[in-house]
């Protein structure tokens, strides 16, 4: 049972463009959400967390959380080829366990 | 620098064979986790631990055992490996409500 549904499966954006990634979670009691990025051949690395409704901005990255609609998103402004990677959203459970979505493969074309 | 180190990096074994994947963290984190990564499924939790001697069952535990011998060391054991266990395995460590630190992964092929 997938606790976190992630879309799209893959995304291609031009360099300088905006990339938007989406997740829907199933547990209304969830409080903490994370975005992770994984470059080829490496382990995932944390990008940012969000736990309050609304937007959280860190540089070119903005996370948005809407608990009422069980939705979290990540927007990457001015996308760079180095942003090409696999992106995961994750829902932190009460037992300090992260449940990951299936991932979005982002390709930024020069 | 705090880190999570996994070994081996690559492993090939035959069906029915025994495999042990190792993970050591130098982050002084209480929590450690084993995930498997497969295309289309993302990262799925196999086992996790709150501390030395503690073991918790994750979402996909069948065919896997784990043991946390010390604060630093967490092992994943496949006693009768099957081709369905061919995957990329990640170990991670973390503290309460913090991000995880992942290792570089172990790629396992069961033939």
């Amino acid at each position: 049972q997938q606790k976190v549904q992630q879309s799209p499966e893959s995304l291609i954006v031009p360099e300088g463009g905006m990339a938007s990634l989406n997740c829907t979670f199933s547990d209304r009691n969830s409080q903490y959400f994370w975005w992770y990025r994984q470059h080829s051949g490496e382990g995932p690395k944390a990008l940012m967390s969000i736990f309050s409704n609304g937007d959280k901005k860190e540089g070119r990255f903005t996370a948005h959380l809407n608990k009422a609609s069980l939705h979290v998103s990540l927007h990457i402004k001015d996308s760079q080829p180095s942003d090409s990677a696999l992106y995961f959203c994750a829902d932190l459970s009460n037992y300090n366990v992260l449940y990951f979505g299936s991932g979005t493969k982002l390709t930024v074309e020069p | 620098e705090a880190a999570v180190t996994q070994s081996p990096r690559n492993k090939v074994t035959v069906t029915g064979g025994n495999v042990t994947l190792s993970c050591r963290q130098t982050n002084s984190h209480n929590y450690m986790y084993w995930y498997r990564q497969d295309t289309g499924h993302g990262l799925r939790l196999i086992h996790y631990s709150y501390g030395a001697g503690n073991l918790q069952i994750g979402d996909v535990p069948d065919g896997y055992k784990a043991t946390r011998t010390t604060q630093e060391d967490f092992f994943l054991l496949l006693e009768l490996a099957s081709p369905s266990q061919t995957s990329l395995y990640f170990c991670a460590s973390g503290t309460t409500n913090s991000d995880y630190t992942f290792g570089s992964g172990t790629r396992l092929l069961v033939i």
Side-chain angles (χ1 to χ4, degrees):
Chain A
Q1 179 183 354
Q2 192 77 25
K3 294 178 169 64
V4 182
Q5 299 289 335
Q6 190 168 349
S7 64
E9 188 174 313
S10 63
L11 180 63
I12 300 174
V13 299
E15 184 174 355
M18 172 78 81
S20 295
L21 292 67
N22 299 288
C23 282
T24 302
F25 50 95
S26 59
D27 186 355
R28 288 195 174 275
N29 295 318
S30 295
Q31 297 292 319
Y32 255 100
F33 302 89
W34 285 89
W35 284 97
Y36 278 73
R37 180 168 70 180
Q38 183 182 26
H39 285 110
S40 181
E42 299 178 3
K45 290 185 173 64
L47 265 179
M48 61 192 301
S49 64
I50 186 167
F51 58 87
S52 298
N53 278 329
D55 292 337
K56 180 179 180 182
K57 185 177 178 182
E58 291 188 2
R60 296 184 294 108
F61 297 85
T62 299
H64 177 79
L65 175 61
N66 184 328
K67 291 184 182 180
S69 62
L70 304 174
H71 184 258
V72 62
S73 58
L74 179 70
H75 306 277
I76 307 172
K77 178 182 170 183
D78 188 23
S79 298
Q80 301 297 308
S82 58
D83 294 328
S84 296
L86 191 55
Y87 289 78
F88 294 101
C89 59
D91 171 9
L92 186 68
S93 77
N94 291 335
Y95 302 99
N96 214 65
V97 170
L98 279 173
Y99 291 99
F100 288 84
S102 54
T104 294
K105 182 180 178 182
L106 173 65
T107 303
V108 181
E109 292 185 333
Chain B
E1 181 180 321
V4 175
T5 304
Q6 291 184 237
S7 62
R9 192 66 194 264
N10 294 283
K11 177 74 177 178
V12 180
T13 191
V14 296
T15 299
N18 288 345
V19 177
T20 298
L21 307 186
S22 301
C23 177
R24 166 164 284 197
Q25 57 110 351
T26 58
N27 304 324
S28 299
H29 288 165
N30 289 332
Y31 299 91
M32 293 188 75
Y33 310 84
W34 278 107
Y35 287 86
R36 61 178 287 174
Q37 183 176 8
D38 305 285
T39 303
H41 292 280
L43 292 151
R44 292 183 290 176
L45 181 68
I46 305 171
H47 290 297
Y48 61 107
S49 168
Y50 296 145
N54 176 267
L55 182 65
Q56 303 295 320
I57 295 172
D59 290 338
V60 289
D62 291 348
Y64 302 96
K65 291 184 179 179
T67 179
R68 179 91 177 267
T69 55
T70 65
Q71 179 81 344
E72 295 78 22
D73 297 302
F74 196 30
F75 300 93
L76 186 67
L77 293 78
L78 292 72
E79 293 187 331
L80 287 171
S82 73
S84 64
Q85 294 177 306
T86 292
S87 187
L88 179 57
Y89 291 87
F90 283 102
C91 175
S93 71
T95 58
T96 303
N97 289 338
S98 79
D99 62 300
Y100 289 5
T101 301
F102 279 86
S104 298
T106 294
R107 192 169 293 278
L108 175 66
L109 173 62
V110 183
I111 57 175

